[in-house]
Amino acid sequence: MENNTFAKHPTFYAIGLSYKKADAEMRGKFSLDDKAKLNLLHQAKEEGLESLVVTSTCNRTEIYGFAQHPFQLIKLLCENSQGTVEDFQKVAFVYKNNEAISHMFRVGTGLDSQILGDFEIISQLKNAFVQSKELNLANNFLERLVNAVIQASKKIKTDTEISSGATSVSFASVQYIFKNVEDISNKNILLFGTGKIGRNTCENLVKHTKHEHITLINRTKDKAEKIANKLNVIVKDYADLQLEIQKADVLVVATGALNPTVDKAILNLKKPLLILDLSIPKNVNENVKELDAVTLVHMDQLAEMTDETLENRKKHIPAAEAIIEEIKDEFLAWTKQRKFAPTIHALKAKLNSIKDGELNFQRKKISNFDEEQAELISARIIQKITNHFANHLKDDETMVDESIEWIEKIFQIETAVK
C-alpha cells in the first residue's frame, strides 16, 4: 500500500547547481549542450519520469521535475554531463515541493541571477518547457507553474525598476575593456564565437567603438556573417584564428565548445593581449597566463563588478518579492484544489453509488415509495457531506496529503492527479 501511494503521488523537485556554490570549472562539468539536454529528456521518458524541464546556462544547470526520489534526477544529470555524484554533493542543491516552486520563481524573475535583474533566464525556461511539452514530458502542474513564473517575470519587469539601467555580463565585459584598454577606439578587437553573450558583447562594442576594428570568427561562418551583416563588422574564416589573434589587442571568447579552444600553443604574440573568456565551460586554457603579454579575465570576475546600477536595482527587491508572493500564492491555491478535487469527485461518486443501492433496496421493500422525494433528500445530504470534506481540505491548517489518504482508505476509493 505504501509503495502504491508513493508512486501515485511523486514529489516535485528542483535539483542542480549555480554560480553561488559552483565555480566556472565545476559548472562546466555539469553543463548540458542541446544534444545532451535532448538525450536527458529521452532517458527520463524511458525511465518512467512523467514531467520535467531542463535548463543549462553559463551560470546554472537545473532540472525541475517529478520523481519518487531526487536521485532519479541527479542520476540523469550526471549520466548526461561530465559531472559526478560526488561533485554534485559538494556544490549542488536539492529543493522539494514549496521550496522548489519558490526557487523557480526566484530564478525566472532574475532575483537569483548572477547579475540581479537579468531576465535572459526566463526565455531559456520557456524554451525548456516547450521542448519538454513536445516530448509529452510536461504535466498540467508544470505548465501552470512555468506560466505563473512567466507572469511574475513580466509583472516585475513592468511594475518595478529591478532591470533598469544597462548591466549584464556582456555590458560588464565592455566596461572592463574601456577601463583597462587605452585608446580602445583604435585597438583591434577579435570576437571568437557567436553565443548569446558573445553577440550581446559585440553589439555593445559596436555602439562604443569603430566598426572597422572589430573582427568576428565562428566555426560556422554563416552564423558569423548573419551577425556581421546586422552590425557591420568584419568576418574572417576559422582557419585564420591564429593569425587574427596576433593582430588583436582584445580577444573575446564566447564559444560553446566543451574543451578549451584557445591555449598558449596558438599564441605567438608581439604585443599585449587582453582575453575575456565568456564561455561555460571555460574555453581559454589557464596556461595562457604563463605569457607575460596576456591578461586573462573570466566571466565570473566580470559578474562580480558592482556599480551604481546594481545598487539601485537592489532597492526594488522587496517590490519584486511581493509580486512573486502574490502570484505564487495563487498558484499554490490552485495546486491544493487540484490535489483534492479528484478525491472529492470520487467521494461523491462513491456516496451516489451507496445511495443508488439503498434506493433500489427501499424501492423493492416499500410499495408506495416516493422515489422523487428520496432522490432529492439523498442528493442534498451527499452535497452537504462532500462540502464538509472540501472545506476541511481547503483549510490552511489541513495536512492535505494525509487527509486525502485517510478519505481514500475509509471510503475505499482511488484517485490520481496527472
Side-chain angles (χ1 to χ4, degrees), residues 238-257:
Y238 177 63
D240 297 328
L241 179 62
Q242 192 166 355
L243 179 62
E244 291 301 320
I245 290 176
Q246 289 178 24
K247 297 178 186 177
D249 298 286
V250 177
L251 170 61
V252 179
V253 182
T255 76

Side-chain angles (χ1 to χ4, degrees), residues 389 401-411:
F389 279 105
D401 287 336
E402 290 182 9
S403 293
I404 286 174
E405 189 175 350
W406 177 81
I407 292 168
E408 290 176 352
K409 283 181 179 178
I410 294 296
F411 289 95

Side-chain angles (χ1 to χ4, degrees), residues 184-221:
I184 185 62
S185 61
N186 292 314
K187 296 292 173 69
N188 294 324
I189 301 171
L190 174 61
L191 181 68
F192 177 37
T194 56
K196 190 163 188 177
I197 291 176
R199 293 197 305 272
N200 291 344
T201 302
C202 192
E203 288 173 8
N204 279 318
L205 287 168
V206 166
K207 287 178 186 176
H208 302 288
T209 60
K210 294 180 181 178
H211 296 199
E212 62 266 26
H213 290 284
I214 301 176
T215 301
L216 185 58
I217 291 179
N218 192 61
R219 286 178 185 273
T220 310
K221 192 175 181 181

Side-chain angles (χ1 to χ4, degrees), residues 22-236:
D23 61 18
E25 183 179 353
M26 187 64 77
R27 298 202 304 277
K29 287 185 179 181
F30 286 94
S31 180
L32 301 169
D33 60 16
D34 290 342
K35 184 180 179 182
K37 279 190 275 190
L38 189 60
N39 289 342
L40 189 154
L41 291 172
H42 282 300
Q43 184 180 336
K45 204 166 186 179
E46 289 170 7
E47 294 180 2
L49 297 177
E50 294 181 0
S51 184
L52 76 164
V53 293
V54 184
T55 61
S56 187
T57 72
C58 55
N59 290 328
R60 64 182 71 247
T61 296
E62 300 181 341
I63 300 176
Y64 300 89
F66 286 88
Q68 295 178 21
H69 191 280
F71 186 73
Q72 290 174 283
L73 303 179
I74 296 168
K75 174 176 171 286
L76 284 173
L77 177 57
C78 293
E79 289 182 356
N80 288 281
S81 70
Q82 303 301 311
T84 66
V85 173
E86 291 74 22
D87 288 334
F88 185 92
Q89 290 172 331
K90 291 174 188 173
V91 298
F93 60 79
V94 175
Y95 299 126
K96 64 185 288 189
N97 294 332
N98 285 2
E99 280 188 343
I101 292 166
S102 295
H103 181 68
M104 186 189 281
F105 270 98
R106 292 189 68 84
V107 169
T109 55
L111 293 191
D112 202 65
S113 296
Q114 191 167 26
I115 293 183
L116 178 66
D118 185 349
F119 281 93
E120 287 186 8
I121 186 67
I122 194 64
S123 62
Q124 291 156 341
L125 189 58
K126 282 184 198 174
N127 293 337
F129 174 76
V130 169
Q131 187 177 32
S132 291
K133 191 167 185 179
E134 286 173 352
L135 295 172
N136 294 316
L137 278 168
N139 62 9
N140 291 337
F141 176 99
L142 200 56
E143 182 163 14
R144 185 94 175 208
L145 174 57
V146 170
N147 285 335
V149 173
I150 292 169
Q151 181 189 352
S153 176
K154 287 179 180 176
K155 191 169 176 61
I156 289 171
K157 201 168 186 179
T158 303
D159 295 0
T160 78
E161 295 179 30
I162 203 165
S163 61
S164 63
T167 182
S168 63
V169 170
S170 57
F171 185 73
S173 304
V174 177
Q175 282 186 315
Y176 186 90
I177 291 169
F178 288 163
K179 288 177 182 177
N180 293 276
V181 180
E182 293 182 7
D183 193 23
I184 185 62
S185 61
N186 292 314
K187 296 292 173 69
N188 294 324
I189 301 171
L190 174 61
L191 181 68
F192 177 37
T194 56
K196 190 163 188 177
I197 291 176
R199 293 197 305 272
N200 291 344
T201 302
C202 192
E203 288 173 8
N204 279 318
L205 287 168
V206 166
K207 287 178 186 176
H208 302 288
T209 60
K210 294 180 181 178
H211 296 199
E212 62 266 26
H213 290 284
I214 301 176
T215 301
L216 185 58
I217 291 179
N218 192 61
R219 286 178 185 273
T220 310
K221 192 175 181 181
D222 62 343
K223 288 184 179 179
E225 286 174 338
K226 286 179 184 177
I227 296 168
N229 290 336
K230 290 180 184 176
L231 301 177
N232 192 27
V233 296
I234 301 164
V235 174
K236 291 293 179 79

Side-chain angles (χ1 to χ4, degrees), residues 159-389:
D159 295 0
T160 78
E161 295 179 30
I162 203 165
S163 61
S164 63
T167 182
S168 63
V169 170
S170 57
F171 185 73
S173 304
V174 177
Q175 282 186 315
Y176 186 90
I177 291 169
F178 288 163
K179 288 177 182 177
N180 293 276
V181 180
E182 293 182 7
D183 193 23
I184 185 62
S185 61
N186 292 314
K187 296 292 173 69
N188 294 324
I189 301 171
L190 174 61
L191 181 68
F192 177 37
T194 56
K196 190 163 188 177
I197 291 176
R199 293 197 305 272
N200 291 344
T201 302
C202 192
E203 288 173 8
N204 279 318
L205 287 168
V206 166
K207 287 178 186 176
H208 302 288
T209 60
K210 294 180 181 178
H211 296 199
E212 62 266 26
H213 290 284
I214 301 176
T215 301
L216 185 58
I217 291 179
N218 192 61
R219 286 178 185 273
T220 310
K221 192 175 181 181
D222 62 343
K223 288 184 179 179
E225 286 174 338
K226 286 179 184 177
I227 296 168
N229 290 336
K230 290 180 184 176
L231 301 177
N232 192 27
V233 296
I234 301 164
V235 174
K236 291 293 179 79
D237 292 325
Y238 177 63
D240 297 328
L241 179 62
Q242 192 166 355
L243 179 62
E244 291 301 320
I245 290 176
Q246 289 178 24
K247 297 178 186 177
D249 298 286
V250 177
L251 170 61
V252 179
V253 182
T255 76
L258 296 177
N259 297 302
T261 52
V262 175
D263 63 19
K264 179 182 173 182
I266 70 168
L267 301 183
N268 182 21
L269 304 179
K270 297 177 176 62
K271 58 181 177 178
L273 177 66
L274 170 62
I275 304 177
L276 303 184
D277 186 0
L278 308 184
S279 311
I280 293 291
K282 289 181 178 180
N283 270 206
V284 179
N285 196 312
E286 292 286 320
N287 65 16
V288 301
K289 292 195 286 189
E290 296 171 13
L291 301 174
D292 293 336
V294 172
T295 301
L296 174 62
V297 179
H298 192 262
M299 64 178 299
D300 279 2
Q301 293 166 262
L302 295 168
E304 289 170 5
M305 292 171 60
T306 57
D307 58 16
E308 189 178 345
T309 302
L310 282 174
E311 290 305 312
N312 286 334
R313 287 185 175 192
K314 289 178 183 177
K315 299 173 186 174
H316 302 283
I317 291 176
E321 289 177 333
I323 290 170
I324 288 173
E325 285 306 308
E326 178 187 349
I327 295 174
K328 188 176 74 174
D329 285 348
E330 290 174 5
F331 173 75
L332 291 175
W334 173 82
T335 60
K336 196 171 186 181
Q337 184 170 354
R338 169 184 175 270
K339 187 178 284 187
F340 68 69
T343 301
I344 294 299
H345 291 316
L347 173 62
K348 196 167 187 176
K350 181 75 171 185
L351 294 175
N352 274 312
S353 175
I354 294 170
K355 179 258 300 180
D356 290 342
E358 186 61 29
L359 291 187
N360 282 334
F361 175 78
Q362 296 298 337
R363 193 180 293 114
K364 295 172 184 175
K365 189 175 181 181
I366 301 172
S367 57
N368 59 343
F369 180 63
D370 190 338
E371 189 166 340
E372 184 177 344
Q373 188 70 12
E375 187 75 43
L376 181 65
I377 293 170
S378 300
R380 286 177 62 85
I381 291 172
I382 288 172
Q383 189 60 50
K384 286 180 182 295
I385 292 171
T386 53
N387 283 347
H388 274 288
F389 279 105

